[in-house]
C-alpha cells in the first residue's frame, strides 16, 4: 500500500498531485482511500504481517511455519495457510530456502571467507556487506548494488544502473568510500562476476579494503544483506508495476534515504534508526 506515503510526503510539503503522478495512481484513488482507508480484515492482515516481519527479523532462518508457531505468543491466532499466503505476498522467506529472483553464475572465489556467517561488528567500517538485486520496469530491468555497514545497518553506498556490469559494483564501492573514508574494512560479497572482476578487486586494494567471499549456493552466507533486499522488495519493488526506470530509481532512493535510514527502527539497534544509532554511538575525540 503506497497511499500512506502520499500523506507522509504531503506533510513534508510535497503536493498530493505530484506524488500521485510519480507513484502512478490518481488523486481520486488516494482521496477515496483516505475516506475509508482499510477494512477490518486488511487491518488484521497488517497486524499479522508486522508481527511476521518482526519475528523474521529476529531470526531470518524462520519460514512461514515457524512464524505461525510464534504468532500466538504475540496475541495473534491465524491458520498456517493464511500465514503462508501473507508471507508469500510480502516475500518473507527463510534465508535458507531457495533464493528467488536474481541469479548469477558463481565462479571461483578471489578472496577467502573472512566472515563465516558472523554478521556482527563492534564499530563502524569494520564489516561491510554488498550484493546486487534487480527489478523489471516497462522499459527494462533496473539493477541496484548496495553496500551495508553491519554495525548500524546503514546503506553506506549504492549504485543504480540499467546494466549489471562490474562498473555497477565499483560505483557503489566508490560512493561508500567517499562517504566513510574507511581503512582496513572487510567487504563481504557472494561470488558474482561483478565482485570477482579485476576492477572491483583493484578498487578494494587501492583503497586499503579487504575482500571476503561466501560459499557457492549458501544464501545464509550473506543473510544480513538478503534481509535488506527483502525489505526493499516488500516496501518498494512489489508495491506497483513500474513504468519507467527513472520512476523506480526515484522510489528506491527515497525509500533508502527517508524511510530505511531515518524512519525504520530496528530492534537490534535498540529500536533506533540507523542514522540515530550512528549519531548516538559516534566516537568522541579529545580536544
Amino acid at each position: 500500500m503506497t497511499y500512506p506515503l502520499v500523506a507522509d510526503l504531503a506533510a513534508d510539503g510535497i503536493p498530493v498531485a505530484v506524488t500521485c503522478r510519480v507513484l502512478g495512481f490518481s488523486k481520486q484513488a488516494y482521496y477515496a482511500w483516505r475516506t475509508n482507508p482499510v477494512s477490518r480484515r486488511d487491518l488484521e492482515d497488517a497486524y499479522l504481517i508486522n508481527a511476521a516481519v518482526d519475528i523474521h527479523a529476529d531470526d531470518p532462518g524462520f519460514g512461514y511455519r515457524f512464524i505461525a508457531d510464534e504468532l500466538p505468543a504475540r496475541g495473534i491466532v491465524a491458520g498456517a495457510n493464511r500465514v503462508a499466503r501473507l508471507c508469500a505476498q510480502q516475500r518473507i522467506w527463510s534465508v535458507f530456502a531457495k533464493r528467488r529472483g536474481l541469479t548469477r553464475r558463481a565462479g571461483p572465489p578471489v578472496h577467502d571467507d573472512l566472515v563465516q556467517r558472523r554478521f556482527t561488528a563492534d564499530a563502524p567500517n569494520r564489516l561491510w556487506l554488498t550484493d546486487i538485486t534487480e527489478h523489471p520496469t516497462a522499459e527494462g530491468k533496473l539493477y541496484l548494488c548496495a553496500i551495508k555497514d553491519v554495525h548500524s545497518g546503514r546503506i553506506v553506498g549504492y549504485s543504480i544502473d540499467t546494466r549489471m556490469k562490474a562498473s555497477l559494483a565499483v560505483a557503489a564501492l566508490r560512493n561508500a568510500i567517499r562517504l566513510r573514508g574507511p581503512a582496513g574494512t572487510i567487504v563481504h560479497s557472494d561470488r558474482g562476476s561483478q565482485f570477482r572482476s579485476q576492477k572491483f578487486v583493484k578498487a578494494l586494494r587501492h583503497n586499503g579494503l579487504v575482500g571476503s567471499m561466501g560459499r557457492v549456493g549458501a544464501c545464509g552466507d550473506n543473510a544480513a544483506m538478503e534481509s535488506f533486499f527483502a525489505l526493499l522488495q516488500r516496501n518498494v519493488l512489489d508495491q506497483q508495476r513500474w513504468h519507467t526506470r527513472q520512476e523506480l530509481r526515484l522510489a528506491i532512493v527515497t525509500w533508502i534515504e527517508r524511510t530505511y535510514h531515518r524512519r525504520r527502527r530496528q530492534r537490534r539497534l535498540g529500536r533506533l534508526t540507523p542514522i540515530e544509532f550512528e549519531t548516538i554511538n559516534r566516537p568522541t575525540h579529545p580536544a
Side-chain angles (χ1 to χ4, degrees), residues 31-67:
Y31 287 118
W33 169 83
R34 284 195 60 181
T35 302
N36 186 20
V38 290
S39 67
R40 181 179 179 82
R41 181 69 172 184
D42 288 339
L43 189 60
E44 291 174 349
D45 282 351
Y47 287 145
L48 193 157
I49 290 168
N50 287 340
V53 169
D54 286 342
I55 293 168
H56 188 262
D58 287 342
D59 189 339
F62 277 14
Y64 79 88
R65 293 183 181 88
F66 289 101
I67 291 173

Side-chain angles (χ1 to χ4, degrees), residues 60-61 94-100 102-107 113 115-119 129-131 188-192 212-227:
S94 167
V95 295
F96 302 115
K98 182 178 179 181
R99 185 175 181 179
R100 294 156 169 84
L102 178 63
T103 57
R104 298 190 296 277
R105 181 175 297 177
D113 186 353
V115 177
Q116 298 292 326
R117 297 192 182 184
R118 295 187 297 271
F119 299 114
L129 306 177
T130 184
D131 204 351
H188 184 78
S189 70
D190 64 14
R191 297 187 185 184
S212 171
M213 284 190 163
R215 295 171 295 166
V216 173
C219 295
D221 280 357
N222 211 2
M225 199 68 212
E226 291 285 343
S227 67

